[in-house]
Amino acid sequence: MNTANIGLIARREMAQILKMRSFWLTLLILPVALAMGPLLGETLADTDSTRVAVIDRSGTGAAKALEARFTADETQYLLRELSRYVQRYDLEAADRNAVWARQNRWYTTNDLVAFEASGGIDAALAKIETVRPDGVPRFEIPTHDYQFVPPPPALLSSQGDAFSAAARGLFADDPDDTNPEIIVMIPEAYPADRAIGIYAGDDVRGSFISTLQEVLTGDLRTRLLAEDGVTGERATLVQTIAPTITIDSPPPGGGARDVLLVRSTVPIALSYILMMSLILSGSWMLQGSVEERSNKLIESLLACISPEELMYGKLLGGLVVGLMMLSVWVGCAGVAAYATQGVIADMIRPALEPISSPGIIAAIIFFFLAGYIMVSAIFVAIGSMADSMSEAQGYMMPVLFAILLPITFLLQAVVAGNDGIMVQIFTWVPLWTPFAVLARLGSGIEAWELIGSAVVLALAIMVELVLVGRLFRASLLATGQKPTLAKVMHRLRRTPDAG
């Protein structure tokens, strides 16, 4: 075989694919998605608090107790998030005695009081800012789930059905988004009348109802204790006493499940990218082969080069195009990881660590190239037998299903941490070996499995290229002949010297 002819065909194949608009559109999909993702996330995220109005006609102070409880829950959540942020970025030096600098605990009412007495979130962030290194993102204060607003005057004087009608009117007519979205009505005869009304313009979260019920249940029990002679601070202590709970858990991202997900992020992404680029470049390669057969250009090509040179040139051209796509996508992902801040960037950076060793990098390159050759050779064989794109798609669909469906199950199993018999089988079946090995690099694969599957895959590719070469040579000039299964098997057994 003449390597110059192979290079010429490869350049022609690349030029043909690069002229397609679909190539450039596909190439830009990932960069645009990476650029638009954060913007869309901020735009689509629901950051508004749900407005709540409590009408307490009993005058017992239940409305203030409800607001105080929800405020305490929000502060407790804020403290947990701030503590995890400080732990993630080692910012305890800002104030080692602060409540938020002490992790692995469930914050109590006394902790919340101490946090607010020290200046709350503003004072904490001011201290953290003095020790926050460059490149560490600022803490994003979470939005409160609920915002308590004064009851509208229209509800204060309404009773019975008129109250319900007035509430529904507020929900329906709210152009400025200022009316309450949840209305809680505590009856005048409370606590004797324990029928609490909740009116809402949409579904009410179960957590809201459970917290409401817990607060009012505690109030009712306190009153019941008072009737039995347990009053004042003693009754309050009976309702609020709780154990001090310490929590021994890994730091953010350090749990076994978190570590597995982070370590598997890039390997699984490589499997998806290999799958996507194979499907796309394979379809473009297929389209070019079909056009050559339909335009009778194949006869002119075979007058100058051998069928094997044509086949290897097409494979090389498709491989280079695939590597171009991979380089652009990986480059954009790398820029997104290191040039941006936030949760996604914090996840991508440690996700690169498991694949940073020279051996793993070499394995990634080998299995990516081998997978590309393995599947692209199938597309080349289909292109040599099809006279039209509709006919080619008829051959292509079963092949895609045979490749994609098992890979989908495989990747789901790897994400779930399942290393069972099916994953092992996929690792040793050459058609799926590249995807299985790439996906398992993050979760861990034995060295003998890595080397053994590489050897089996290399041998399978050699056999495949021989068989596809026979089929390619025998099918090129068989225009108009429907390749039945018997004919395909005959062509696979036929050597180049056979007539």
Side-chain angles (χ1 to χ4, degrees):
M1 284 187 293
N2 191 325
T3 56
N5 288 341
I6 295 176
L8 182 64
I9 294 298
R11 289 193 295 272
R12 178 183 176 278
E13 191 74 19
M14 291 169 52
Q16 190 174 11
I17 294 176
L18 294 178
K19 289 179 182 178
M20 297 180 180
R21 294 181 181 177
S22 57
F23 169 79
W24 295 105
L25 290 175
T26 303
L27 189 67
L28 296 175
I29 284 176
L30 185 62
V32 171
L34 290 173
M36 296 296 293
L39 298 177
L40 290 176
E42 294 179 1
T43 303
L44 298 177
D46 184 9
T47 58
D48 295 333
S49 302
T50 301
R51 296 179 297 278
V52 181
V54 181
I55 301 174
D56 184 6
R57 289 179 173 166
S58 68
T60 58
K64 292 182 179 178
L66 283 172
E67 184 173 356
R69 170 58 186 276
F70 278 96
T71 301
D73 287 349
E74 299 283 3
T75 304
Q76 190 179 63
Y77 175 75
L78 172 64
L79 260 179
R80 290 201 304 269
E81 291 299 303
L82 181 61
S83 174
R84 292 177 67 82
Y85 167 81
V86 169
Q87 185 180 19
R88 177 186 289 272
Y89 297 109
D90 297 324
L91 301 174
E92 291 86 352
D95 186 355
R96 297 190 182 277
N97 295 321
V99 174
W100 40 264
R102 288 174 276 167
Q103 293 87 25
N104 298 335
R105 59 183 296 165
W106 187 260
Y107 295 105
T108 64
T109 302
N110 292 335
D111 292 327
L112 304 185
V113 172
F115 176 67
E116 295 294 347
S118 65
I121 186 63
D122 293 333
L125 293 181
K127 292 179 180 180
I128 291 172
E129 192 64 25
T130 61
V131 299
R132 183 178 64 85
D134 293 336
V136 172
R138 287 184 170 86
F139 177 74
E140 296 182 4
I141 301 176
T143 304
H144 288 183
D145 290 336
Y146 301 100
Q147 175 191 0
F148 284 79
V149 298
L155 297 177
L156 295 177
S157 58
S158 302
Q159 299 285 344
D161 294 339
F163 184 91
S164 300
R168 287 193 294 270
L170 290 172
F171 301 144
D173 185 16
D174 188 16
D176 300 326
D177 287 335
T178 56
N179 291 343
E181 298 167 88
I182 299 177
I183 299 171
V184 179
M185 202 277 286
I186 301 174
E188 185 176 356
Y190 177 85
D193 182 3
R194 297 190 293 272
I196 309 299
I198 298 179
Y199 303 84
D202 205 343
D203 292 337
V204 182
R205 298 180 192 172
S207 59
F208 178 86
I209 296 176
S210 61
T211 302
L212 174 71
Q213 187 176 35
E214 184 178 342
V215 172
L216 295 180
T217 299
D219 179 67
L220 290 172
R221 289 174 178 171
T222 300
R223 295 176 186 276
L224 184 60
L225 288 171
E227 293 177 4
D228 292 339
V230 183
T231 60
E233 294 182 0
R234 189 67 178 174
T236 302
L237 180 62
V238 170
Q239 292 296 322
T240 59
I241 191 170
T244 300
I245 300 175
T246 60
I247 303 174
D248 185 1
S249 62
R257 174 68 174 168
D258 294 335
V259 170
L260 175 62
L261 289 176
V262 170
R263 291 178 61 87
S264 299
T265 298
V266 174
I268 290 177
L270 287 173
S271 293
Y272 272 116
I273 289 175
L274 173 59
M275 184 170 61
M276 289 171 55
S277 57
L278 273 172
I279 294 172
L280 293 170
S281 61
S283 63
W284 295 325
M285 191 187 311
L286 200 60
Q287 182 177 344
S289 298
V290 171
E291 289 178 357
E292 289 170 355
R293 285 173 60 86
S294 60
N295 296 333
K296 304 299 181 181
L297 183 61
I298 198 71
E299 289 88 344
S300 302
L301 288 173
L302 293 178
C304 305
I305 59 176
S306 67
E308 287 77 12
E309 292 170 348
L310 178 61
M311 183 186 76
Y312 286 114
K314 286 181 171 294
L315 286 175
L316 180 59
L319 178 60
V320 173
V321 169
L323 292 177
M324 288 173 55
M325 295 172 60
L326 175 67
S327 301
V328 172
W329 290 346
V330 171
C332 292
V335 171
Y338 286 95
T340 61
Q341 297 179 351
V343 176
I344 295 179
D346 294 338
M347 182 183 69
I348 293 179
R349 292 169 190 170
L352 296 175
E353 294 178 4
I355 60 170
S356 58
S357 67
I360 296 297
I361 293 175
I364 289 174
I365 294 174
F366 170 80
F367 283 101
F368 194 93
L369 295 178
Y372 222 98
I373 295 172
M374 168 67 70
V375 180
S376 294
I378 298 175
F379 289 134
V380 168
I382 293 174
S384 68
M385 296 186 296
D387 294 325
S388 64
M389 278 304 297
S390 60
E391 185 179 348
Q393 290 171 356
Y395 299 137
M396 191 174 177
M397 290 305 296
V399 173
L400 289 180
F401 276 116
I403 297 174
L404 297 183
L405 287 181
I407 292 173
T408 301
F409 296 133
L410 165 69
L411 297 182
Q412 291 176 351
V414 172
V415 170
N418 184 357
D419 198 21
I421 186 63
M422 291 306 298
V423 174
Q424 300 292 331
I425 291 175
F426 288 142
T427 302
W428 292 97
V429 176
L431 183 60
W432 303 311
T433 295
F435 306 96
V437 172
L438 287 175
R440 293 181 61 193
L441 286 177
S443 59
I445 181 172
E446 297 289 342
W448 69 269
E449 284 187 278
L450 193 66
I451 297 173
S453 59
V455 172
V456 172
L457 179 60
L459 294 175
I461 289 176
M462 291 187 213
V463 175
E464 179 193 31
L465 290 179
V466 172
L467 296 176
V468 170
R470 294 176 182 178
L471 181 62
F472 188 81
R473 168 185 282 272
S475 302
L476 279 180
L477 298 178
T479 306
Q481 300 179 20
K482 298 297 181 182
T484 62
L485 181 60
K487 288 183 179 179
V488 170
M489 298 304 296
H490 175 69
R491 292 172 184 176
L492 289 174
R493 291 193 299 266
R494 205 162 115 189
T495 60
D497 294 333

